[in-house]
Amino acid sequence: QVQLVESGGGLVQPGGSLRLSCAASGRIFRIYDMAWYRQAPGKQRELVAAITSGGTPNYADSWKGRFIISRDIGKNTVYLQMNSLKPEDTAVYYCNVRYERDRREYNYWGQGTQVTVSS
């Protein structure tokens, strides 16, 4: 069984910053990619940023330059530093992990953390 514990969401004023964390634990042999997705009200879930096991980040165009994804391999944790937040960044943010166990590849989602940007 795998657990993803997300934290760091909350209410922030426009222009502010938040840092999301997602820690993976459980029956994991190796983690490949880790990523953050978001789902705004009435919209589909979409990729915000991803990072490979080698530390290479990839960003959706909408968040390039404002958001930074990073990971701590030793802690099986991925972070999303969100800067210059805008009201349109309001959404539930989900952590996603692609990992290996028993020679098979799996994909797992966190429970989501709410980010609200409002004055």
Side-chain angles (χ1 to χ4, degrees), residues 6-51:
E6 300 170 353
S7 61
L11 174 64
V12 63
Q13 292 187 343
S17 298
L18 282 175
R19 188 192 194 206
L20 305 183
S21 300
C22 172
S25 62
R27 292 188 59 216
I28 298 172
F29 175 70
R30 174 168 47 208
I31 293 178
Y32 296 116
D33 304 327
M34 303 183 83
W36 288 97
Y37 287 72
R38 54 166 262 162
Q39 189 165 16
K43 296 189 176 182
Q44 291 188 329
R45 193 172 297 187
E46 57 184 338
L47 176 69
V48 175
I51 188 166

Side-chain angles (χ1 to χ4, degrees), residues 2-8 20-26 28 31 34-36 70-80 95-97 108-111:
V2 174
Q3 296 82 39
L4 293 181
V5 178
E6 300 170 353
S7 61
L20 305 183
S21 300
C22 172
S25 62
I28 298 172
I31 293 178
M34 303 183 83
W36 288 97
S70 61
R71 67 188 285 177
D72 185 328
I73 294 177
K75 295 181 179 179
N76 284 347
T77 300
V78 63
Y79 305 96
L80 185 67
C95 175
N96 178 269
V97 173
Y108 198 80
W109 291 92
Q111 78 284 0

Side-chain angles (χ1 to χ4, degrees), residues 44-116:
Q44 291 188 329
R45 193 172 297 187
E46 57 184 338
L47 176 69
V48 175
I51 188 166
T52 67
S53 58
T56 301
N58 180 41
Y59 299 94
D61 289 343
S62 298
W63 294 281
K64 280 182 181 177
R66 291 195 299 124
F67 290 9
I68 300 171
I69 190 170
S70 61
R71 67 188 285 177
D72 185 328
I73 294 177
K75 295 181 179 179
N76 284 347
T77 300
V78 63
Y79 305 96
L80 185 67
Q81 178 67 43
M82 305 187 293
N83 301 317
S84 302
L85 284 162
K86 305 174 182 180
E88 51 263 42
D89 293 321
T90 295
V92 178
Y93 285 74
Y94 294 91
C95 175
N96 178 269
V97 173
R98 188 169 66 91
Y99 67 97
E100 178 186 344
R101 186 185 74 219
D102 299 330
R103 299 184 181 181
R104 294 182 64 182
E105 184 177 307
Y106 295 85
N107 207 293
Y108 198 80
W109 291 92
Q111 78 284 0
T113 184
Q114 176 70 47
V115 172
T116 302

